Amino acid sequence: MSIVTLEQVEAQIAHRFALLRFRPEIELLFRQDYVAERNRLIGIWAVIGLLIYDLVYFGDRAMIPDVLTEVTALRLLVFTPAVIACAFVVRRWPSSRLYDALSVLVAVLGVSLPMAAAVGSQSSYLLIYQNYNAAAFLFFVIALRPLFPAMLAGLVLMCLSHLSAVYLTGAFDAVTFGGIVTFYLMLSIFLAAAAYFLERTDRRNFLNQLRAGLLYRRLEVNAERDELTGLLNRRSLARIGREIWNTGRQLEPPVVSAILLDIDHFKRFNDLYGHMDGDACIRTVSQHICATVGRANSVFRFGGEEMLVLLPGQGSLQALAMAEKIRRAIEELAIPHGKSDHGVVTASLGVASAMPVQTAIEKLLQRADEALYEAKHRGRNMVVISEEPQVAA
């Protein structure tokens, strides 16, 4: 699926779309929505259209009885199966271009088949009979509603088909034929204008709905992200924690590890360099933690300079190795820290592991916090694993 950003959608709204065309990424989404909506209604419109079309049999019998057999065969044995086949094809292989092409085909067949039979009729009611095709024009624009280029092509082909058949009947003088031509040209122009503005409205509504969805998604993301670091926040911890614990039995192995880390002497860092540099330090450390642990694991800003890493399916030995990797990565950043024993920014880390089916997440975090406190007590810039018995990977 194409990825569209809120900025792209807002730019498209500002740019407008007089030619009824979006930028490629948005156009793809619009066409997917368009064909899904048309597919949802295609069965209903096929039934309604066929019912009306085939009931015109009674008009055929009254006005062109001399070719009733031919026109009935065309309605029931050609048009009806063609519509059913087109509806099946569109439902089976949904595509905006396929839908548009088959809509034009159905519309042209609907106009041309009865008029093809009427060419051989000597009825005096042909003037009234040919007016029935106005309903086919309306059904094409109002019910089938292909995209505007297909709509124009369909109206042109329907006009040509209908007017050619009317001319071939030889039943009308020049004035009458001119009136018929004028009527169908005017009808087509009005319908084309209506179709244009209707599609503009559809496209505008689609953009507004897409924008609303993207805004809501951004609000959801922002609500679960720490503004300074971009890490997940405590609110997201509650949700993700529930998800991990609810699926704990499916983990392989069925164990979760937590790494709780704290930047060493961070208050001293702020006092020495100021809060702006302190914020930059936290952001840099956060980015490198995310890069170190990978996307399969969740990283949270747990407190001011405290961060938490959850490792589903990783036991104590794996978590210990990951914590040491994080510790080295932070130290190797070599962020100057004039009031640290090491001269650079370092971190202390506490590690704990538990089986979700046996231990609540609150208990796991408490043990990781105790291990972190022990790491600080021992001199900082080190990893300490909880002394409580753990499940190894």
Side-chain angles (χ1 to χ4, degrees):
M1 180 178 178
S2 178
I3 298 176
V4 175
T5 66
L6 178 60
E7 291 72 22
Q8 288 174 330
V9 173
E10 291 181 335
Q12 183 68 77
I13 292 174
H15 186 264
R16 310 209 177 188
F17 37 91
L19 297 180
L20 300 182
R21 186 79 182 182
F22 297 142
R23 59 185 301 160
E25 302 89 347
I26 301 177
E27 183 70 21
L28 178 59
L29 291 181
F30 172 76
R31 286 176 176 269
Q32 290 172 348
D33 182 77
Y34 159 79
V35 76
E37 177 65 18
R38 297 301 185 272
N39 267 356
R40 188 175 64 84
L41 298 173
I42 189 66
I44 296 173
W45 286 125
V47 171
I48 293 174
L50 286 176
L51 182 63
I52 296 172
Y53 194 81
D54 290 340
L55 282 176
V56 178
Y57 163 81
F58 296 102
D60 296 338
R61 189 171 67 177
M63 284 183 279
I64 51 172
D66 53 339
V67 291
L68 181 61
T69 301
E70 293 86 342
V71 73
T72 301
L74 290 172
R75 289 187 187 278
L76 298 179
L77 301 181
V78 177
F79 185 77
T80 298
V83 170
I84 294 172
C86 288
F88 172 80
V89 168
V90 170
R91 291 295 297 269
R92 181 66 178 81
W93 296 283
S95 160
S96 61
R97 289 186 175 85
L98 181 61
Y99 176 85
D100 287 351
L102 292 182
S103 293
V104 172
L105 174 63
V106 167
V108 173
L109 285 176
V111 166
S112 60
L113 290 178
M115 289 306 298
V119 168
S121 175
Q122 301 300 314
S123 172
S124 59
Y125 297 106
L126 285 178
L127 178 61
I128 299 173
Y129 184 78
Q130 60 86 30
N131 283 334
Y132 279 3
N133 268 341
F137 281 69
L138 293 172
F139 188 84
F140 175 60
V141 173
I142 297 172
L144 297 182
R145 290 181 59 195
L147 294 177
F148 189 67
M151 184 77 73
L152 283 181
L155 289 173
V156 169
L157 291 173
M158 292 167 76
C159 275
L160 290 174
S161 173
H162 178 78
L163 296 176
S164 296
V166 168
Y167 178 79
L168 290 175
T169 62
F172 308 108
D173 58 33
V175 174
T176 303
F177 181 71
I180 294 172
V181 171
T182 300
F183 171 77
Y184 278 95
L185 287 178
M186 290 174 58
L187 177 65
S188 297
I189 291 171
F190 286 143
L191 289 177
Y196 173 84
F197 289 109
L198 185 60
E199 185 173 326
R200 272 184 63 87
T201 300
D202 287 344
R203 286 177 175 267
R204 186 180 299 111
N205 290 340
F206 173 79
L207 284 179
N208 290 332
Q209 291 172 3
L210 186 58
R211 180 177 181 272
L214 290 170
L215 275 172
Y216 181 75
R217 193 177 309 164
R218 175 169 290 186
L219 287 173
E220 280 190 320
V221 170
N222 290 343
E224 293 202 344
R225 292 281 174 180
D226 174 64
E227 185 175 358
L228 174 63
T229 63
L231 299 180
L232 297 167
N233 58 22
R234 295 290 287 267
R235 176 180 176 179
S236 59
L237 173 60
R239 176 182 61 80
I240 294 173
R242 284 194 302 269
E243 293 174 358
I244 293 174
W245 256 249
N246 289 339
T247 59
R249 288 184 174 85
Q250 283 74 52
L251 294 173
E252 186 57 45
V255 61
V256 177
S257 294
I259 301 173
L260 193 61
L261 67 93
D262 185 89
I263 299 176
D264 294 329
H265 300 300
F266 189 70
K267 184 179 183 304
R268 296 181 186 177
F269 186 94
N270 271 338
D271 292 341
L272 181 61
Y273 298 105
H275 289 282
M276 295 296 290
D277 284 349
D279 288 348
C281 174
I282 291 177
R283 279 195 296 268
T284 302
V285 169
S286 300
Q287 291 167 3
H288 279 73
I289 293 173
C290 290
T292 301
V293 303
R295 294 185 178 181
N297 305 300
S298 300
V299 184
F300 306 84
R301 188 178 183 191
F302 197 66
E305 65 273 15
E306 283 188 335
M307 295 160 208
L308 169 68
V309 181
L310 286 182
L311 307 170
Q314 296 190 37
S316 56
L317 297 181
Q318 291 172 297
L320 185 62
M322 178 63 75
E324 179 58 28
K325 187 177 179 182
I326 293 171
R327 187 200 65 77
R328 288 198 309 269
I330 295 173
E331 187 175 25
E332 289 169 1
L333 287 173
I335 301 173
H337 190 340
K339 290 191 177 183
S340 169
D341 296 337
H342 302 277
V344 295
V345 168
T346 59
S348 301
L349 301 92
V351 178
S353 301
M355 298 179 68
V357 294
Q358 296 177 353
T359 306
I361 186 172
E362 294 80 9
K363 181 62 176 177
L364 174 65
L365 298 181
Q366 179 185 344
R367 287 171 29 212
D369 187 55
E370 292 169 354
L372 170 59
Y373 179 82
E374 181 64 23
K376 288 181 171 294
H377 181 71
R378 294 184 189 180
R380 295 182 169 84
N381 192 26
M382 67 175 62
V383 177
V384 172
I385 190 167
S386 173
E387 294 180 358
E388 201 166 320
Q390 301 302 312
V391 178

